[in-house]
Amino acid sequence: VSFPWQKREISNFDYLMYLNTLAGRSYNDYMQYPVFPWVLADYHSETLNLTNPHTFRDLSKPMGAQTVERKRKFIQRYNEVEKNLSAQCHYCTHYSSAIIVASYLVRMEPFTQTFCSLQGGSFDVADRMFHSVKSTWESASRDNMSDVRELIPEFFYLPEFLTNVNHFELGCMQDGTVLGDVQLPPWADGDPHKFILLHRQALESDYVSAHLHRWIDLIFGHKQHGSAAVEAVNTYHPYFYGDKMDLNNIKDPLIKSTILGFISNFGQIPKQV
């Protein structure tokens, strides 16, 4: 049987939204917001070449395994089980959470207020704020062991979230950079509309169409948990697997509130589709 998506009768964007909905994710819940993949690895070229495989992220691997060195460190963590961890996993942070969603959309209301309330009433330290697509990719794919975030749908249709249209005072980084509009890759020519257009073209490209099912396996499919997830370097703290934890059977209110707090702060694995 050939499905409409396989025959390319519906777009990759629409298919991903469909899967997110099936998995119980919704724009109405920051803790279970729709999750979309990083699709590009090129944030430095003057022009974007969508026929070159090296332009793209490896969709068969989670964000924690995008480089050989990073993958090795996370496997080492899994095998060692750090002293302060109560459970064996590769990642103690998540690829989608309320704070990740609010940080991406912080320049737009009502997300500005949401972000501030999650941060205890104010903006975060400027150096930790979302300010550059390139540096966020480098953090999530290579540099920061506590950052494995993926993207949200807005990266593929909403240029407004990339501009500080409300002139919020987002602070000043240690190197003196005053935060304003999000810094875009050279190939976007400083134009949020061009960024969104090219980014959407990348999502719908032949390369992504041919490899997207591998990412779907990691996030929504059989590599989400169990031995296939271990093999794929794709296991998260047990508290993230909300539907696997029967909270009704946990009698200790302290443990129960700890788990609920963990999920609300750090995110939740989608329901398996």
Side-chain angles (χ1 to χ4, degrees), residues 22-35:
L22 274 185
R25 301 186 81 84
S26 159
Y27 283 121
N28 299 321
D29 184 350
Y30 293 164
M31 289 182 281
Q32 295 196 75
Y33 207 77
V35 57

Side-chain angles (χ1 to χ4, degrees), residues 9-60:
E9 289 171 2
I10 63 170
S11 68
N12 291 338
F13 182 92
D14 287 341
Y15 187 58
L16 287 170
M17 283 305 298
Y18 172 69
L19 288 174
N20 271 286
T21 304
L22 274 185
R25 301 186 81 84
S26 159
Y27 283 121
N28 299 321
D29 184 350
Y30 293 164
M31 289 182 281
Q32 295 196 75
Y33 207 77
V35 57
F36 268 57
W38 287 95
V39 292
L40 292 173
D42 181 354
Y43 298 96
H44 55 269
S45 297
E46 293 296 325
T47 55
L48 194 59
N49 181 356
L50 296 180
T51 61
N52 181 356
H54 296 295
T55 297
F56 298 92
R57 166 255 181 104
D58 186 341
L59 287 157
S60 70

Side-chain angles (χ1 to χ4, degrees), residues 245-257 259:
M245 303 209 63
D246 189 355
L247 291 172
N248 295 324
N249 284 339
I250 297 171
K251 298 292 181 259
D252 188 325
L254 186 63
I255 293 174
K256 199 169 190 173
S257 69
I259 294 171

Side-chain angles (χ1 to χ4, degrees), residues 6 8 20 49 57-58 83 119 128 133 159 219 228 246:
Q6 289 173 313
R8 299 185 76 167
N20 271 286
N49 181 356
R57 166 255 181 104
D58 186 341
K83 307 274 186 292
Q119 283 291 340
R128 289 202 299 258
V133 179
I219 306 299
D246 189 355

Side-chain angles (χ1 to χ4, degrees), residues 11 24 34 51 131-132 154 157 162 168 194 214 216 256 264:
S11 68
T51 61
H131 69 278
S132 155
E154 285 82 352
Y157 69 83
L162 298 164
F168 292 119
K194 185 172 182 182
R214 298 184 170 207
I216 290 168
K256 199 169 190 173
S264 67

Side-chain angles (χ1 to χ4, degrees), residues 64-97:
Q66 289 296 309
T67 70
V68 174
E69 176 62 12
R70 187 168 158 95
K71 181 179 177 182
R72 184 189 64 76
K73 284 180 182 171
F74 280 121
I75 291 173
Q76 187 179 355
R77 170 191 279 179
Y78 181 88
N79 291 334
E80 286 175 358
V81 187
E82 293 178 353
K83 307 274 186 292
N84 60 342
L85 292 181
S86 57
Q88 191 173 35
C89 60
H90 294 108
Y91 314 115
C92 308
T93 53
H94 199 250
Y95 49 76
S96 174
S97 67

Side-chain angles (χ1 to χ4, degrees), residues 1-219:
V1 179
S2 180
F3 296 103
W5 178 62
Q6 289 173 313
K7 292 192 279 188
R8 299 185 76 167
E9 289 171 2
I10 63 170
S11 68
N12 291 338
F13 182 92
D14 287 341
Y15 187 58
L16 287 170
M17 283 305 298
Y18 172 69
L19 288 174
N20 271 286
T21 304
L22 274 185
R25 301 186 81 84
S26 159
Y27 283 121
N28 299 321
D29 184 350
Y30 293 164
M31 289 182 281
Q32 295 196 75
Y33 207 77
V35 57
F36 268 57
W38 287 95
V39 292
L40 292 173
D42 181 354
Y43 298 96
H44 55 269
S45 297
E46 293 296 325
T47 55
L48 194 59
N49 181 356
L50 296 180
T51 61
N52 181 356
H54 296 295
T55 297
F56 298 92
R57 166 255 181 104
D58 186 341
L59 287 157
S60 70
K61 296 185 174 74
M63 290 302 288
Q66 289 296 309
T67 70
V68 174
E69 176 62 12
R70 187 168 158 95
K71 181 179 177 182
R72 184 189 64 76
K73 284 180 182 171
F74 280 121
I75 291 173
Q76 187 179 355
R77 170 191 279 179
Y78 181 88
N79 291 334
E80 286 175 358
V81 187
E82 293 178 353
K83 307 274 186 292
N84 60 342
L85 292 181
S86 57
Q88 191 173 35
C89 60
H90 294 108
Y91 314 115
C92 308
T93 53
H94 199 250
Y95 49 76
S96 174
S97 67
I99 195 68
I100 290 171
V101 172
S103 69
Y104 280 145
L105 300 173
V106 70
R107 290 162 179 79
M108 294 173 62
E109 291 288 15
F111 302 98
T112 314
Q113 294 307 314
T114 302
F115 182 83
C116 289
S117 65
L118 287 168
Q119 283 291 340
S122 62
F123 291 121
D124 199 0
V125 176
D127 285 77
R128 289 202 299 258
M129 295 278 285
F130 171 53
H131 69 278
S132 155
V133 179
K134 177 174 182 276
S135 66
T136 303
W137 159 255
E138 288 171 349
S139 170
S141 67
R142 188 186 72 201
D143 298 339
N144 185 346
M145 290 292 282
S146 62
D147 183 2
V148 292
R149 78 186 95 168
E150 294 278 7
L151 299 183
I152 54 176
E154 285 82 352
F155 272 85
F156 301 94
Y157 69 83
L158 190 72
E160 287 77 10
F161 87 97
L162 298 164
T163 59
N164 187 18
V165 68
N166 293 313
H167 306 292
F168 292 119
E169 292 188 12
L170 301 170
C172 183
M173 294 169 65
Q174 286 182 339
D175 65 5
T177 304
V178 177
L179 297 197
D181 296 346
V182 175
Q183 293 170 9
L184 302 174
W187 44 259
D189 296 326
D191 180 352
H193 289 84
K194 185 172 182 182
F195 172 83
I196 295 292
L197 176 70
L198 291 173
H199 205 216
R200 183 65 170 264
Q201 286 176 1
L203 179 65
E204 304 299 340
S205 67
D206 289 343
Y207 179 90
V208 171
S209 297
H211 295 86
L212 188 57
H213 64 283
R214 298 184 170 207
W215 183 84
I216 290 168
D217 287 343
L218 295 169
I219 306 299

